[in-house]
Amino acid sequence: MSKYWSPIVSALKPYVPGEQPRMANLVKLNTNENPYAPSDKVIEAIRAAASADLRLYPDPLAIDLRKAIATRYGVGPEEVFVGNGSDEVLAHSFAALLKHDRPLLYPDISYSFYPTYAGLFGIDAIEVPLNDAFGIDIVDYRRPAGAIILPNPNAPTGIGLPLADIEALVAEHPDQPVVIDEAYIDFGGESATALVPKYENLLVVQTFSKSRALAGLRVGFAIGRRPLIEALERVKDSFNSYPLGRAAQAGAIAAIKDEAWFETTRGKIIASREKLAGELEARGFEVLPSQANFVFARHPKHAGQALAAKLRERAVIVRHFAKPRISDFLRITIGTDEECARLVEALDKIL
C-alpha cells in the first residue's frame, strides 16, 4: 500500500505467471512452452530484421504480418488484429468488447488472467462452473449476459469443445460478443476461425507462443469481423501504437508461412502427449483428455502440492494450482520424449 497509488491498485489481484527458475539439469514442464526450437526460417528473418535500421519505428499497422495471417486463415487483412502476445490481445478485448451492463461469463476453472482483467477494467463477471467431468457445458451459458469468453481447449484442463458447440454458443448470443481463446487449438482442436465469415459477434484469439515456439517473441492475434477489429485498434492506439517491433513482425511472418515445420513439430508434441498420458495412467494417475500441449493429471494417493514439491527436488518443474476442485491436479507441459522420460523416472522414485 502507498499513498501514491491510484484507488484501483490496492484492489487488483495480479495474474501470477509460471515460474522461470534457474536450476541445473532442469526439466521445465510448467509453462506450456514448445520443447522444440523455432523454424530456422524464423531465426533467419529475425536476423535480417535486426540488421536493418532499428532506429526507425516498426510498422504500427503490421500490414505484412496481418496479410500473412489472413492468407493462412482465409480472411481479409482488415479482419486481423495483432498484439504483444495473446495476453495483450485479450486485454484489449476485455476493454473494447467485454464490458457491458450485463455480466461477462467465463468458466470458473479456466485461464486465471480472466478475473484479473475483469478486475482491472471494472467488469462485472460471473464464473460458470465446469461440469463434474471438468468440461464446459454450453447449456450453462444460456442465461442473460453482456459477453462471453471461453478458452478452447480450456486451460488448465486441456479439454476441448467441438466446433459445433462453439457455433451453437455464438448463434445463441447474436447480440453479445463471444471471444474464443484458442491458445492451444493447434494441438487437437478445430478452430472457430472458420465461423468468422458467418458470425459478426465472434472474435477468435490465438498466439504464436505455443504451436509456433515463439513464446519469447510475444506475438498474438485475433480474427473477427471488421467492427470488432476496429474496436481493438481504437483501444490499442489509445495505449501503444507500436506493440510489435520489427524483429517480432518478421519472425512471426516467417513462422506463419513455414507450414512444414508447423505440421512436423505439432505432430511430435501430440504423439508425445498421448505417450505420456499412457505412462501416467499406467502409474495410477487420472488424466483428463487433452487437446493441448499439456496434460492435467492427479494421483489418488498423493496431494498435488506435495507431489509437485517432490518433483522439484528432482529438478522437474510442473504447475500446481492451489484452487478448489483442482488442488490435487498437476498441469504438465509436454516436453521432448527425453524430458517426459525424466519426469516418469522421477515419478517412479516418488510413487
Side-chain angles (χ1 to χ4, degrees), residues 41-314:
K41 295 178 181 178
V42 170
I43 304 304
E44 293 171 6
I46 292 173
R47 285 195 181 115
S51 65
D53 199 344
L54 293 181
R55 68 183 180 84
L56 299 176
Y57 284 109
D59 176 7
L61 300 178
I63 291 297
D64 290 341
L65 175 56
R66 289 166 62 188
K67 287 180 178 178
I69 294 170
T71 298
R72 171 67 168 76
Y73 290 96
V75 298
E78 72 281 359
E79 296 176 310
V80 177
F81 176 84
V82 297
N84 190 280
S86 62
D87 286 336
E88 183 182 70
V89 177
L90 289 169
H92 292 333
S93 301
F94 270 72
L97 301 172
L98 302 185
K99 185 175 183 178
H100 298 277
D101 292 335
R102 289 181 172 180
L104 168 66
L105 306 181
Y106 52 74
D108 66 331
I109 299 172
S110 190
Y111 188 26
S112 51
F113 230 137
Y114 297 164
T116 297
Y117 285 143
L120 177 62
F121 296 111
I123 299 173
D124 181 25
I126 294 176
E127 297 184 348
V128 181
L130 299 184
N131 62 28
D132 291 341
F134 297 99
I136 294 172
D137 279 339
I138 296 303
V139 294
D140 294 333
Y141 291 81
R142 290 173 180 160
R143 61 174 79 184
I148 297 171
I149 182 168
L150 293 182
N152 189 46
N154 194 12
T157 66
I159 298 175
L161 285 170
L163 188 60
D165 283 2
I166 296 295
E167 181 167 14
L169 177 74
V170 175
E172 289 171 3
H173 296 272
D175 298 322
Q176 291 78 39
V178 178
V179 176
I180 305 299
D181 182 359
E182 293 187 342
Y184 303 100
I185 196 68
D186 292 327
F187 300 106
E190 188 176 1
S191 177
T193 53
L195 301 176
V196 167
K198 188 175 179 181
Y199 296 98
E200 62 183 4
N201 61 324
L202 171 63
L203 186 78
V204 182
V205 178
Q206 291 194 19
T207 178
F208 282 74
S209 295
K210 314 301 182 184
S211 60
R212 304 283 175 177
L214 294 179
L217 207 59
R218 312 308 301 130
V219 182
F221 63 96
I223 294 177
R225 300 282 282 275
R226 181 59 199 164
L228 302 187
I229 299 302
E230 182 182 357
L232 298 182
E233 290 173 347
R234 289 171 66 88
V235 170
K236 186 265 288 185
D237 288 335
S238 300
F239 178 73
N240 178 9
S241 294
Y242 302 98
L244 289 181
R246 289 172 174 265
Q249 292 186 34
I253 290 169
I256 203 75
K257 290 182 176 180
D258 196 344
E259 198 71 16
W261 178 95
F262 170 75
E263 291 293 346
T264 298
T265 305
R266 75 164 180 162
K268 289 181 180 179
I269 293 170
I270 291 170
S272 296
R273 180 189 69 205
E274 299 309 302
K275 179 180 179 182
L276 178 60
E279 296 272 18
L280 294 173
E281 288 173 343
R283 287 158 176 79
F285 280 86
E286 174 191 0
V287 183
L288 299 188
S290 175
Q291 290 183 328
N293 68 335
F294 59 83
V295 293
F296 204 50
R298 64 181 170 185
H299 197 282
K301 297 181 180 179
H302 294 268
Q305 186 174 12
L307 192 52
K310 291 178 181 178
L311 285 169
R312 184 186 182 89
E313 291 172 359
R314 292 162 174 81

